[in-house]
């Protein structure tokens, strides 16, 4: 699953360390509405005192029209999990009124709905509850949390590795946002507006456990791994849109997906493109740790991916390591990509041959 900011275009990955975790009023607004509408995933009880503050402040508005609207959206359209966050990031506020910057939300659960009416009702809730007052009262807490995340997690990432490894600059803008009510869920929405850089968001849930405390402080490596993964997507995903790589990769990749579609679908990877991109990104994470981690980091990364169905991961990491060691021959990832197409052809051929051997006397 796709897991996870300053809203600034990263013209160079060398400046990624300027990237900081941020909070977002739109994300909190939609999260509060889902919390009040009793969405299970927005009521995990993991936000500690902040969750109690939300409950107390918004208790008089449990039956607000916007809350009831979100209850209906949940029941009739399945709006939940990432869908409210996707909607939030498409909102633009002007004079305490929210409008959509784009009607292409990126989640088909929003299709065939009166989105203007949804915006109007959200705006009503924002004003009736004086949400701005609540949000402003929490800013010291938001800022402190985001500063700690930047210090304890983002500082662990070697930003220089990416342009050096791929030989190119990123094609997207990265935004790391803490979702204070998204609990154990992390989301990775993408927003693409006309004439603007493609924005990729990592929405990371704020989790506090009674004995362990704030989880990103206790387990910073876990959150580091999520972000190392997400940053790789900006370099890997565009490869299927250049040259004739999409057509060439489709031949072995469709066969691979046929073998693994059940387990991949459980992880929301419903097409071969997703499986290929995820495969390469996950192998890139292990390769990143060859340069920026321990042997245990590399082994754990490979082991975890094979557990969830990417059985070709050890061989693919070896292939990526070959690229890593032969940069004179392959100055950019683009120049190496045909080798990955051949790799997946070999994997699918070997799998098919093993199956066929069962029927040979």
């Amino acid at each position: 699953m796709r897991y996870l900011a300053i809203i600034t275009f990263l013209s160079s990955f060398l400046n990624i360390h300027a990237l900081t975790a941020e909070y977002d009023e739109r994300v909190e607004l939609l999260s509060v509405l889902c919390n009040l509408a009793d969405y299970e995933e927005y009521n995990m009880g993991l936000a500690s005192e902040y969750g109690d503050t939300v409950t107390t402040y918004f208790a008089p508005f449990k039956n607000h029209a916007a809350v009831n609207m979100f209850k209906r959206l949940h029941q009739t359209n399945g709006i939940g999990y990432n869908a409210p966050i996707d909607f939030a990031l498409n909102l633009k506020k002007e004079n305490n009124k929210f409008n959509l910057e784009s009607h292409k939300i990126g989640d088909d659960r929003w299709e065939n709905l009166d989105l203007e009416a949804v915006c109007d009702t959200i705006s009503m809730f924002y004003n009736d509850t004086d949400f701005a007052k609540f949000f402003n009262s929490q800013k010291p807490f938001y800022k402190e949390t985001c500063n700690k995340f930047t210090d304890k997690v983002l500082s662990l990432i070697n930003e220089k590795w990416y342009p050096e490894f791929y030989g190119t600059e990123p094609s997207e803008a990265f935004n790391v946002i803490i979702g204070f009510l998204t609990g154990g869920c992390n989301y990775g929405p993408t927003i693409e507006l006309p004439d603007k850089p493609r924005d990729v968001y990592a929405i990371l849930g704020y989790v506090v456990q009674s004995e362990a405390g704030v989880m990103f402080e206790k387990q910073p490596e876990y959150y580091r791994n999520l972000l190392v993964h997400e940053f790789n997507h900006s370099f890997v995903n565009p490869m299927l849109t250049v040259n004739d790589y999409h057509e060439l990769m489709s031949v072995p990749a469709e066969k691979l997906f046929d073998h693994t579609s059940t387990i991949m679908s459980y992880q929301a990877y419903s097409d071969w493109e997703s499986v290929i991109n995820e495969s390469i990104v996950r192998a890139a994470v292990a390769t990143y740790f060859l340069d920026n981690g321990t042997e245990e980091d590399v082994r754990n990364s490979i082991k975890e991916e094979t557990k969830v169905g990417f059985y070709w991961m050890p061989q693919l990491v070896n292939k990526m390591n070959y690229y890593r060691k032969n940069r004179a021959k392959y100055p950019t990832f683009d120049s190496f990509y045909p080798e990955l197409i051949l790799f997946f052809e070999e994997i699918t051929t070997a799998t098919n041959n093993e199956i066929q051997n069962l029927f040979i006397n």
Side-chain angles (χ1 to χ4, degrees):
M1 298 267 270
R2 295 167 296 190
Y3 307 115
L4 348 187
I6 47 185
I7 307 175
T8 301
F9 178 57
L10 300 182
S11 59
S12 170
F13 231 87
L14 296 176
N15 294 324
I16 192 176
H17 211 58
L19 181 70
T20 60
E22 296 289 340
Y23 54 92
D24 189 296
E25 184 179 36
R26 301 166 300 172
V27 169
E28 292 311 302
L29 174 60
L30 271 291
S31 296
V32 166
L33 275 166
C34 293
N35 175 275
L36 295 175
D38 298 323
Y39 288 26
E40 183 178 357
E41 66 273 21
Y42 289 85
N43 282 275
M44 294 184 181
L46 299 176
S48 190
E49 294 179 5
Y50 178 70
D52 296 337
T53 302
V54 168
T55 299
T56 300
Y57 185 92
F58 293 99
F61 305 99
K62 278 285 288 184
N63 293 314
H64 191 278
V67 176
N68 292 329
M69 176 185 69
F70 269 84
K71 287 182 178 179
R72 292 193 301 272
L73 289 172
H74 186 59
Q75 293 169 357
T76 61
N77 293 79
I79 297 298
Y81 288 97
N82 65 292
I85 302 300
D86 290 354
F87 194 89
L89 295 173
N90 275 279
L91 290 173
K92 181 178 181 180
K93 185 179 71 173
E94 294 179 343
N95 300 320
N96 290 343
K97 171 72 169 64
F98 288 94
N99 296 298
L100 286 171
E101 288 201 273
S102 170
H103 282 67
K104 296 180 180 180
I105 305 301
D107 189 301
D108 58 13
R109 284 172 286 182
W110 289 105
E111 292 181 2
N112 303 316
L113 290 171
D114 187 344
L115 301 184
E116 298 302 330
V118 174
C119 287
D120 289 343
T121 310
I122 289 173
S123 299
M124 185 192 309
F125 178 84
Y126 182 85
N127 290 291
D128 290 347
T129 62
D130 198 356
F131 190 89
K133 177 183 177 181
F134 166 79
F135 185 75
N136 289 331
S137 73
Q138 297 303 306
K139 280 186 177 179
F141 164 66
Y142 295 149
K143 291 178 180 178
E144 180 184 11
T145 302
C146 290
N147 288 341
K148 287 181 178 178
F149 188 93
T150 300
D151 179 58
K152 294 185 176 295
V153 178
L154 292 180
S155 64
L156 299 178
I157 299 174
N158 176 12
E159 68 276 10
K160 295 181 181 181
W161 181 84
Y162 291 89
E164 292 173 357
F165 181 74
Y166 289 101
T168 57
E169 300 296 338
S171 62
E172 300 164 330
F174 294 98
N175 309 274
V176 178
I177 294 176
I178 305 299
F180 289 89
L181 284 178
T182 62
C185 295
N186 304 298
Y187 303 117
T190 298
I191 307 298
E192 194 163 5
L193 300 173
D195 303 319
K196 290 186 178 181
R198 177 183 170 100
D199 274 307
V200 174
Y201 291 84
I203 310 296
L204 301 175
Y206 177 71
V207 176
V208 182
Q209 293 186 346
S210 56
E211 295 183 1
V214 180
M215 292 312 296
F216 73 75
E217 294 185 46
K218 299 299 180 181
Q219 298 179 352
E221 292 82 7
Y222 169 77
Y223 292 87
R224 172 204 64 182
N225 295 355
L226 288 178
L227 289 169
V228 168
H229 176 111
E230 292 303 320
F231 292 155
N232 276 291
H233 270 293
S234 182
F235 296 88
V236 171
N237 289 22
M239 287 293 97
L240 285 179
T241 67
V242 299
N243 300 326
D244 52 357
Y245 293 159
H246 187 277
E247 181 180 356
L248 292 172
M249 184 66 88
S250 69
V251 178
E254 286 177 351
K255 296 176 183 177
L256 184 68
F257 185 69
D258 184 55
H259 291 310
T260 61
S261 59
T262 300
I263 191 169
M264 292 302 165
S265 295
Y266 283 140
Q267 301 170 77
Y269 305 133
S270 58
D271 51 57
W272 69 260
E273 290 93 341
S274 297
V275 173
I276 291 298
N277 286 335
E278 281 297 322
S279 295
I280 297 172
V281 162
R282 290 164 190 245
V285 171
T287 310
Y288 171 92
F289 287 135
L290 286 171
D291 291 322
N292 303 283
T294 64
E295 181 176 323
E296 184 180 9
D297 287 327
V298 177
R299 290 183 181 276
N300 286 342
S301 179
I302 295 172
K303 182 171 65 176
E304 290 305 311
E305 305 309 349
T306 55
K307 282 182 180 178
V308 293
F310 294 87
Y311 66 83
W312 51 90
M313 195 53 55
Q315 299 96 315
L316 183 53
V317 173
N318 269 301
K319 196 72 174 179
M320 295 286 276
N321 192 33
Y322 177 77
Y323 163 72
R324 169 176 168 265
K325 292 180 175 180
N326 291 275
R327 296 305 301 283
K329 183 177 180 181
Y330 305 105
T332 66
F333 195 62
D334 186 351
S335 64
F336 181 71
Y337 203 80
E339 297 296 325
L340 293 178
I341 296 173
L342 290 175
F343 168 83
F344 284 106
E345 288 179 353
E346 292 168 359
I347 287 292
T348 54
T349 298
T351 301
N352 288 333
N353 287 343
E354 289 295 327
I355 295 172
Q356 190 59 37
N357 285 341
L358 295 172
F359 306 102
I360 297 176
N361 293 326

